[in-house]
Amino acid sequence: MAECGGFDISVVLLLFDIRRFNPNPVPCSGRPTMGIVEKIQEIEREIARTQKNKATEYHLGLLKAKLAKYRTQLLEPTSKGGGKGEGFDVMKSGDARVAMVGFPSVGKSTLLSTMTHTHSEAASYEFTTLTCIPGVIEHQGANIQLLDLPGIIEGAAQGKGRGRQVIAVAKTADLILMMLDAVKGEVQKGLLEQELESVGIRLNKKPPNIYFKQKKVGGVKFTHTVPVRNVNEKMIMTVLHEYKIFNADVVFREDCTIDDFIDVIMGNRQYLKCLYVYNKIDQISLEEVDRLAHLPHSIVISCEMKLNMDYFVEKVWEYLSLIRIYTKKPGNAPDLGPEDGIILRGASTVEHACHALHRTLASQFRYAIVWGTSTKFSPQRVGISHKLDHEDVVQVVKK
């Protein structure tokens, strides 16, 4: 076999032959084009270095639309095909689900062991918890499922660590508990909010009051029922065209930003309540404890010293907006025991109570008699759409 300078000449000819039939070979990296993560990073850098003024608002709107689209593409394959984007296999149970998210070693496992009968391994080193550990908080007759999730690291939204599984479970929760180290909580809070924001989780926000409907013909019609300062028709058209939408009705019922409009177009955003829990307050000054305690949606605790734990449970109950109602049979006194009653979501009606009691009760409903703060006088005869308050007593009369 012919050799040339220590190389087999037949191998050289074979490589030349392959290149002749493939004029655009894949580079050694195996990625001939820029990946989605790189595109996201490039757009983020472009947004950061672009000055925000009237002249650049259309350019920024377009960049934000592209960024939202790429972030969705980054998560879509994992959510459809399984793999590393799936959440941990934890069955939803109880009356509500609360997910703890936070960086490693902020006290999530200690809090779970303190507040529930579940033991979660706690240690002073990072990544002690490697999977999702559920526990149950029992409060006012309700069973609240508390999930101890592995610590999030920076870049979790791109799949670093076990970030995608943590975020997938967080999206199924009724309340997010953001566990923060009181010493470095402000930095951690900003990074965690950024990670959750990038995957479509909106904390302590209401969905934008924007009507959006795609059509087959008719072009784009943009109207607003209130004065809008942050958007105009040209900006709306620019963003819609980026998503290949050329026929739609858009009505702004409040003064929203272009980011809010992009969220409405995407249609997959989760709007969740969040309670910021500053742990390890025994390691900071009283002045700093007082400052953190007065921040919006915040609570200060110490898991090690069991400080402020009762108030913590009360705040969780408040943020979950749960109510407990009691039932009464005709001629009998209501059952007001600690194990009696039905747990419902806030803003629940008599109809919700009927469904919770029995699946056929709503169809047989005639009227209800209610005692409690939801009525103008007690007892009061009400209809099926009457809104109930915490600790109301309800007697249902069937047809």
Side-chain angles (χ1 to χ4, degrees):
M1 187 175 288
E3 292 188 358
C4 179
F7 291 98
D8 190 338
I9 216 159
S10 62
V11 174
V12 175
L13 290 171
L14 178 62
L15 288 171
F16 175 78
D17 208 40
I18 291 170
R19 287 185 66 87
R20 187 160 56 90
F21 288 100
N22 185 13
N24 296 310
V26 175
C28 294
S29 65
R31 286 187 293 183
T33 56
M34 187 184 289
I36 293 177
V37 173
E38 287 83 356
K39 287 179 181 178
I40 289 172
Q41 291 170 346
E42 179 59 37
I43 293 173
E44 286 175 340
R45 286 193 292 268
E46 177 70 16
I47 290 173
R49 63 174 173 253
T50 302
Q51 291 186 348
K52 294 172 177 62
N53 52 49
K54 282 286 183 184
T56 61
E57 60 184 10
Y58 300 110
H59 177 60
L60 283 171
L62 190 61
L63 288 174
K64 289 174 179 177
K66 288 182 177 179
L67 184 62
K69 188 165 66 174
Y70 285 136
R71 280 175 173 167
T72 301
Q73 288 176 8
L74 186 68
L75 297 173
E76 263 182 356
T78 53
S79 61
K80 288 179 182 176
K84 61 181 180 179
E86 287 184 343
F88 299 100
D89 188 18
V90 180
M91 183 179 293
K92 196 167 185 176
S93 66
D95 300 295
R97 169 178 274 195
V98 177
M100 288 189 287
V101 300
F103 284 100
S105 299
V106 293
K108 298 187 299 296
S109 299
T110 308
L111 180 65
L112 183 80
S113 301
T114 303
M115 301 308 303
T116 72
H117 300 299
T118 305
H119 174 70
S120 182
E121 191 66 35
S124 58
Y125 54 86
E126 296 188 349
F127 300 108
T128 314
T129 304
L130 297 176
T131 187
C132 178
I133 301 172
V136 176
I137 297 175
E138 297 174 359
H139 183 66
Q140 296 203 29
N143 292 324
I144 301 169
Q145 187 182 43
L146 182 64
L147 302 180
D148 177 16
L149 295 169
I152 287 182
I153 60 174
E154 287 185 67
Q158 279 80 44
K160 289 184 181 178
R162 308 200 75 177
R164 283 185 178 170
Q165 290 106 316
V166 172
I167 288 165
V169 174
K171 282 188 169 184
T172 68
D174 302 299
L175 172 67
I176 300 288
L177 285 185
M178 190 179 289
M179 289 291 292
L180 303 165
D181 189 321
V183 178
K184 45 193 173 183
E186 297 301 296
V187 176
Q188 291 181 346
K189 179 181 174 182
L191 292 169
L192 284 168
E193 285 180 334
Q194 189 176 338
E195 289 292 331
L196 296 174
E197 185 88 10
S198 68
V199 293
I201 296 178
R202 304 290 181 257
L203 301 177
N204 296 322
K205 292 181 181 177
K206 291 183 179 180
N209 193 359
I210 301 173
Y211 174 79
F212 169 72
K213 185 177 181 181
Q214 282 187 252
K215 303 184 297 185
K216 293 183 178 179
V217 293
V220 174
K221 292 182 180 178
F222 170 63
T223 55
H224 50 89
T225 59
V226 296
V228 289
R229 296 167 295 173
N230 301 302
V231 297
N232 55 43
E233 188 168 4
K234 182 181 176 183
M235 197 183 298
I236 295 294
M237 299 275 278
T238 302
V239 170
L240 287 174
H241 289 175
E242 172 62 28
Y243 289 98
K244 305 291 189 291
I245 298 172
F246 303 100
N247 302 286
D249 285 334
V250 179
V251 182
F252 273 54
R253 294 179 176 138
E254 63 181 349
D255 189 16
C256 299
T257 64
I258 198 67
D259 298 279
D260 294 328
F261 180 56
I262 291 169
D263 284 351
V264 171
I265 295 173
M266 300 303 293
N268 59 355
R269 304 313 193 207
Q270 294 289 113
Y271 296 86
L272 299 174
K273 289 185 179 180
C274 177
L275 192 57
Y276 301 98
V277 183
Y278 291 90
N279 188 27
K280 306 180 185 178
I281 57 171
D282 50 299
Q283 300 178 13
I284 59 175
S285 66
L286 285 174
E287 291 79 8
E288 184 65 7
V289 171
D290 185 63
R291 187 187 71 84
L292 293 175
H294 284 88
L295 293 174
H297 311 292
S298 299
I299 183 172
V300 292
I301 64 168
S302 172
C303 293
E304 289 292 336
M305 300 184 71
K306 296 182 171 56
L307 295 175
N308 220 20
M309 305 310 288
D310 290 339
Y311 181 66
F312 162 78
V313 176
E314 290 294 337
K315 291 298 285 185
V316 168
W317 173 271
E318 177 190 327
Y319 271 64
L320 286 171
S321 300
L322 297 176
I323 63 171
R324 185 184 187 190
I325 66 150
Y326 300 98
T327 57
K328 179 184 179 304
K329 293 180 180 178
N332 294 347
D335 298 319
L336 302 176
E339 300 300 321
D340 298 314
I342 305 166
I343 302 298
L344 300 172
R345 300 295 171 132
S348 291
T349 63
V350 173
E351 184 176 8
H352 292 109
C354 290
H355 288 303
L357 287 165
H358 197 277
R359 54 197 170 117
T360 63
L361 190 56
S363 60
Q364 300 173 336
F365 179 87
R366 184 179 175 193
Y367 63 88
I369 301 172
V370 177
W371 293 258
T373 57
S374 70
T375 60
K376 293 179 181 178
F377 47 88
S378 290
Q380 182 178 338
R381 178 170 163 169
V382 300
I384 200 166
S385 60
H386 175 77
K387 186 180 172 182
L388 297 168
D389 281 354
H390 183 50
E391 296 189 336
D392 276 358
V393 176
V394 180
Q395 176 183 318
V396 176
V397 178
K398 296 191 287 186
K399 292 176 183 176

